[in-house]
Amino acid sequence: MQTWEPKTPHLAVDAVLRLWEGKSFKGIVLVERLYPPYGFALPGGFVERGETLEKAVLKEVKEETGLSARIRRLLGVYSDPRRDPRFHVVSVVFLCDAEGLPTAGDDAKRVHLLKLEDIPFDSLVFDHAKILEDFLKA
């Protein structure tokens, strides 16, 4: 007997993660990917069955950066079928804030704290350059 497999995209979450020290904005946190596609990315990952989007993004931020974040708002939904070279992924992107010192974990090779003017747009993977451009224009 053949089982039915949905032909829908994979669901992911990403965070534009702003780092603060008290009321002082320090920059945004990007992860350097340990696995292909290599480059810089927003903290994020796939949503597991039974998990809310909000819990998923906070879990992924914690796993990849060691930071406990707070969701500020929904930034947008990104669904270009070509955004991920592995397969079709739809990502729900949140604007999040955190304090502390980020440390690489899970599938992050390194974490980077960057000032907005130092974002390496040419080295961003997936459609994260578009997401950060939208964030900067908002």
Side-chain angles (χ1 to χ4, degrees):
M1 185 165 114
Q2 188 174 4
T3 60
W4 178 78
E5 285 289 324
K7 295 182 179 179
T8 58
H10 296 268
L11 182 60
V13 289
D14 290 304
V16 174
L17 182 58
R18 302 184 299 189
L19 193 67
W20 298 84
E21 187 176 311
K23 293 184 179 189
S24 178
F25 175 65
K26 296 298 180 185
I28 64 165
V29 178
L30 294 178
V31 298
E32 189 175 340
R33 290 181 50 83
L34 184 59
Y35 303 109
Y38 299 112
F40 293 92
L42 299 167
F46 293 105
V47 180
E48 296 176 17
R49 187 179 303 267
E51 186 175 46
T52 67
L53 297 171
E54 296 83 359
K55 284 187 180 183
V57 75
L58 295 176
K59 174 197 73 177
E60 291 293 336
V61 165
K62 182 74 169 176
E63 287 177 357
E64 292 187 349
T65 71
L67 297 169
S68 296
R70 295 171 306 284
I71 296 171
R72 290 301 177 207
R73 66 179 172 87
L74 176 67
L75 185 65
V77 177
Y78 294 80
S79 63
D80 184 343
R82 296 163 294 158
R83 78 179 296 270
D84 189 319
R86 301 168 295 179
F87 34 72
H88 186 183
V89 176
V90 172
S91 182
V92 179
V93 183
F94 293 91
L95 176 62
C96 297
D97 289 334
E99 290 191 44
L101 182 64
T103 57
D106 196 28
D107 57 356
K109 182 178 180 180
R110 291 184 193 90
V111 291
H112 299 269
L113 176 60
L114 299 162
K115 294 182 182 203
L116 298 179
E117 60 270 19
D118 295 331
I119 295 170
F121 283 98
D122 292 343
S123 299
L124 291 167
V125 296
F126 310 123
D127 59 353
H128 292 184
K130 165 101 175 86
I131 293 168
L132 285 171
E133 288 168 3
D134 290 351
F135 161 71
L136 292 172
K137 291 177 184 175

